[in-house]
Amino acid sequence: MGAAPMEVDSGNGVVERKQSIYKSLDESFEIQKEMYRGQQYSQIYFARLHLMRTLLYSLIPTWKPHLPVCTVLGLEQGKECIIVGTLFKHMKLKPTILDEYSKERSASPLVKPHNFMHSDDYLILEDESGRVKLRGTILVPSVYVTGLVVALHGKETGAGDFMVEDILEAGLPPQIDRPLNPNGDDKYVVFVSGLSVGSSSANPLQFQLFVDHITGHLGDEKEQGIAAKIVQVVIAGNSVEFPRGLFNGQNLGSKEQSKLSEPTKELDILLTQIAAGIPLDIMPGTSDPANFALPQQPLHKCLFPGSAAYNTFRSCTNPHSFELDNVRFLGTSGQNIDNLAIYSDASSRIDFLERTLKWRHMAPTSPNTLGCYPFTDRDPFFVEACPHVYFIGNQDKYVTSLIQGSDNQVVRLISIPRFAETGTAVVMNLKNLECHALSFGTQFD
Amino acid sequence: MASSSSDMKGFFREKKKSAKPNKSGKPIKSAKPKHSASCGSDVVQPPALLSHGSPDLQDEEYDEEEMILRQFDMNMAYGPCLGMSRLGRWERANALGLHPPQQVQNLLMGSKMNNSECLWDGRV
């Protein structure tokens, strides 16, 4: 079934919903063709190092052409040179599985999801030949994380460490020019995440209000006219929340099993209302019934018997990449940035987003502290082409910014708040990349 | 009573009745495994505990081909060798533009299946 045009009872005729040309770019995030042959994570680290090192080698001539490039083993004391390798951050407070065996078992869990940074953290650079400890004030350990590939300018000290004088990050990738048309039509993309259907904190009325608004069942002609300009809805993860009490290791009886399927049934009913009118992309998140390791695979269509019948319904991977009218989108449900926030520091979550783009890698902490599939010959989190819109789901609040690259790249960064907590969705105009929040309240304070 | 000496052999059997005479005339070969670690007494030693492949001993004939493939495995420019088939690793190296030696691919594409996995496969 295709999307039906909305009807307006105003006597002026039918208001048609705008359409956009959609192209999915999720192929690199699908793992159906991968075969697990017992490989370890050293393979993905090698692929990442090689990919990024080739890139950095091509950037070094424009950065510091007069300095020689060498491997870690080729370092000589006092010789100024450039080395390229993977960063490893040694963190005192980082939980290791061995702690369970060395310390006394306490009642409280050993891992608490707060920040594991410490002032004693230091960085090490590693390539195939060896590793070297990094010193100096240029490289602040609180900003960097394990798994990044960078080029460093400096020299080896007497103590065998590497004193860093300058650092080269890969920088924003090249971006395909997006033809700006200020006189063009307004077309909106709506982002929402953290619906948490089935949880006690989610207000079903709030989500229903949201659905009614974007499908044009609310408001007067003007409101409906605006709603008619929404061409795409993206749900960025954590759409359901299962009652945790059921997962206590006991076998589930039939009554409990039906309780388990309630959230997805409820979600399907609401998604059917959206899919009947607007193209909908749904991404899996941490609490959704999808695999744990990134890249998360699309939620199965059998979970959505009602909505999957529509061709407007698309179940997508996490991370998700697509093009809409030649505007390139890239985003995740939040795991990559949440992991960065545990192992590094920034003044705002949006800073992490910007950093991952400048590092050209969406999830540098994988596979170290973020679950990831052990790819052997590629690293799908490497950002090859710069998106125009880079979003992250399941954050605390709505934040947005526009960043410029050195090569005329322009990227709209969006942090999508959790809908169940904030009642806020994000609306972005495809024409000019401008964003605004769409909030729904059900309290009459 | 005197008995004729020619009858002595009739009294004392020199061979068991059930023993079959060795008609072929060659010495009987014991079933010694080809690559066993024992030299000499082969009755007491248990067969070597092998999961895959064979132990790397002086008297084993791994040929020149295997030597070339092992050098390919050990070359760190092409990344870690464990967990990948040799051909898969060669193809990855080729795709990443590392120009792995063509000879290695020719050897791997040949009919032999016993060299498809890396040196450490099954041993680590």
Side-chain angles (χ1 to χ4, degrees), chain A residues 39 42-43 46 50 376-377, chain B residues 78-80 82 84 92 96 98:
Chain A
Q39 66 266 26
S42 55
Q43 308 284 358
F46 171 73
H50 184 82
T376 52
D377 52 0
Chain B
Y78 307 125
L82 199 61
M84 280 185 92
R92 174 180 74 181
L96 292 176
L98 293 163

Side-chain angles (χ1 to χ4, degrees), chain A residues 7-79:
Chain A
E7 307 230 342
V8 172
D9 256 344
S10 64
N12 292 351
V14 169
V15 179
E16 290 267 341
R17 186 177 289 283
K18 295 255 179 340
Q19 309 246 340
S20 276
I21 304 166
Y22 178 94
K23 188 170 124 183
S24 168
L25 302 166
D26 277 345
E27 206 183 313
S28 59
F29 301 123
E30 283 166 11
I31 59 174
Q32 278 76 9
K33 296 196 187 72
E34 301 290 329
M35 184 150 73
Y36 183 65
R37 307 171 112 268
Q39 66 266 26
Q40 297 186 4
Y41 288 120
S42 55
Q43 308 284 358
I44 188 176
Y45 274 121
F46 171 73
R48 183 187 299 177
L49 175 62
H50 184 82
L51 202 55
M52 298 215 57
R53 188 167 50 187
T54 316
L55 173 67
L56 287 167
Y57 277 177
S58 68
L59 295 174
I60 286 171
T62 40
W63 181 50
K64 292 187 183 191
H66 51 283
L67 289 171
V69 177
C70 59
T71 61
V72 169
L73 215 53
L75 281 176
E76 286 165 25
Q77 193 183 329
K79 178 177 116 181

Side-chain angles (χ1 to χ4, degrees), chain B residues 62-108:
Chain B
Y62 52 83
D63 46 4
E64 206 187 292
E65 280 185 14
E66 182 67 18
M67 279 302 299
I68 299 171
L69 291 173
R70 284 182 184 185
Q71 288 302 316
F72 173 68
D73 280 343
M74 289 290 101
N75 191 341
M76 59 182 189
Y78 307 125
C81 66
L82 199 61
M84 280 185 92
S85 70
R86 279 174 172 160
L87 193 58
R89 184 160 170 266
W90 191 95
E91 271 161 15
R92 174 180 74 181
N94 202 23
L96 292 176
L98 293 163
H99 302 294
Q102 187 61 43
Q103 186 190 27
V104 172
Q105 192 203 25
N106 295 339
L107 286 173
L108 292 170

Side-chain angles (χ1 to χ4, degrees), chain A residues 21 46 50 75 146 188 196 249 346 415 421:
Chain A
I21 304 166
F46 171 73
H50 184 82
L75 281 176
T146 302
Y188 298 106
S196 299
S415 153
E421 288 168 22

Side-chain angles (χ1 to χ4, degrees), chain A residues 32-341:
Chain A
Q32 278 76 9
K33 296 196 187 72
E34 301 290 329
M35 184 150 73
Y36 183 65
R37 307 171 112 268
Q39 66 266 26
Q40 297 186 4
Y41 288 120
S42 55
Q43 308 284 358
I44 188 176
Y45 274 121
F46 171 73
R48 183 187 299 177
L49 175 62
H50 184 82
L51 202 55
M52 298 215 57
R53 188 167 50 187
T54 316
L55 173 67
L56 287 167
Y57 277 177
S58 68
L59 295 174
I60 286 171
T62 40
W63 181 50
K64 292 187 183 191
H66 51 283
L67 289 171
V69 177
C70 59
T71 61
V72 169
L73 215 53
L75 281 176
E76 286 165 25
Q77 193 183 329
K79 178 177 116 181
E80 218 173 302
C81 60
I82 297 177
I83 50 173
V84 182
T86 314
L87 281 178
F88 178 80
K89 183 154 88 168
H90 181 97
M91 299 179 82
K92 200 161 149 171
L93 297 176
K94 179 177 156 191
T96 70
I97 193 75
L98 300 175
D99 287 345
E100 275 186 45
Y101 296 96
S102 63
K103 293 186 188 154
E104 263 180 30
R105 285 221 172 221
S106 54
S108 60
L110 288 167
V111 179
K112 292 187 185 68
H114 63 281
N115 197 288
F116 291 122
M117 282 174 25
H118 193 272
S119 50
D120 287 345
D121 294 340
Y122 58 88
L123 290 165
I124 298 172
L125 191 83
E126 187 178 309
D127 69 5
E128 300 106 329
S129 58
R131 38 163 48 192
V132 65
K133 190 165 168 182
L134 301 175
R135 292 215 173 275
T137 48
I138 307 290
L139 215 56
V140 183
S142 61
V143 169
Y144 297 95
V145 285
T146 302
L148 289 170
V149 179
V150 291
L152 298 174
H153 159 216
K155 54 167 97 87
E156 191 184 345
T157 65
D161 302 331
F162 190 79
M163 180 64 76
V164 179
E165 288 172 38
D166 202 358
I167 173 168
L168 172 69
E169 294 165 349
L172 257 55
Q175 190 181 60
I176 299 171
D177 253 336
R178 186 183 59 88
L180 255 178
N181 187 2
N183 302 322
D185 295 333
D186 285 328
K187 284 186 184 177
Y188 298 106
V189 177
V190 173
F191 296 94
V192 70
S193 77
L195 297 169
S196 299
V197 171
S199 87
S200 46
S201 60
N203 185 348
L205 182 58
Q206 238 177 6
F207 189 34
Q208 188 63 60
L209 260 180
F210 167 78
V211 172
D212 287 339
H213 175 85
I214 60 173
T215 49
H217 290 105
L218 280 182
D220 62 355
E221 235 178 80
K222 186 159 160 260
E223 293 274 338
Q224 288 174 327
I226 295 172
K229 294 184 177 140
I230 299 175
V231 291
Q232 177 75 47
V233 176
V234 178
I235 300 184
N238 291 354
S239 315
V240 287
E241 194 175 297
F242 295 104
R244 281 284 132 185
L246 290 178
F247 299 131
N248 56 2
Q250 306 287 331
N251 283 332
L252 292 178
S254 60
K255 201 166 83 169
E256 283 142 342
Q257 277 188 15
S258 57
K259 256 198 244 172
L260 209 54
S261 59
E262 284 306 315
T264 28
K265 281 195 198 145
E266 203 182 316
L267 179 68
D268 186 38
I269 293 171
L270 293 159
L271 291 187
T272 314
Q273 296 171 32
I274 305 179
I278 321 173
L280 170 68
D281 278 5
I282 179 163
M283 294 162 58
T286 330
S287 67
D288 290 318
N291 58 316
F292 167 76
L294 290 186
Q296 280 183 299
Q297 297 305 289
L299 294 164
H300 203 283
K301 290 212 151 100
C302 70
L303 292 168
F304 306 107
S307 17
Y310 290 93
N311 68 356
T312 45
F313 177 85
R314 285 179 213 106
S315 185
C316 310
T317 56
N318 170 34
H320 182 34
S321 177
F322 63 98
E323 253 179 36
L324 206 56
D325 279 352
N326 291 323
V327 176
R328 198 178 176 114
F329 290 72
L330 179 64
T332 65
S333 301
Q335 293 103 320
N336 55 336
I337 302 298
D338 290 343
N339 205 249
L340 274 183

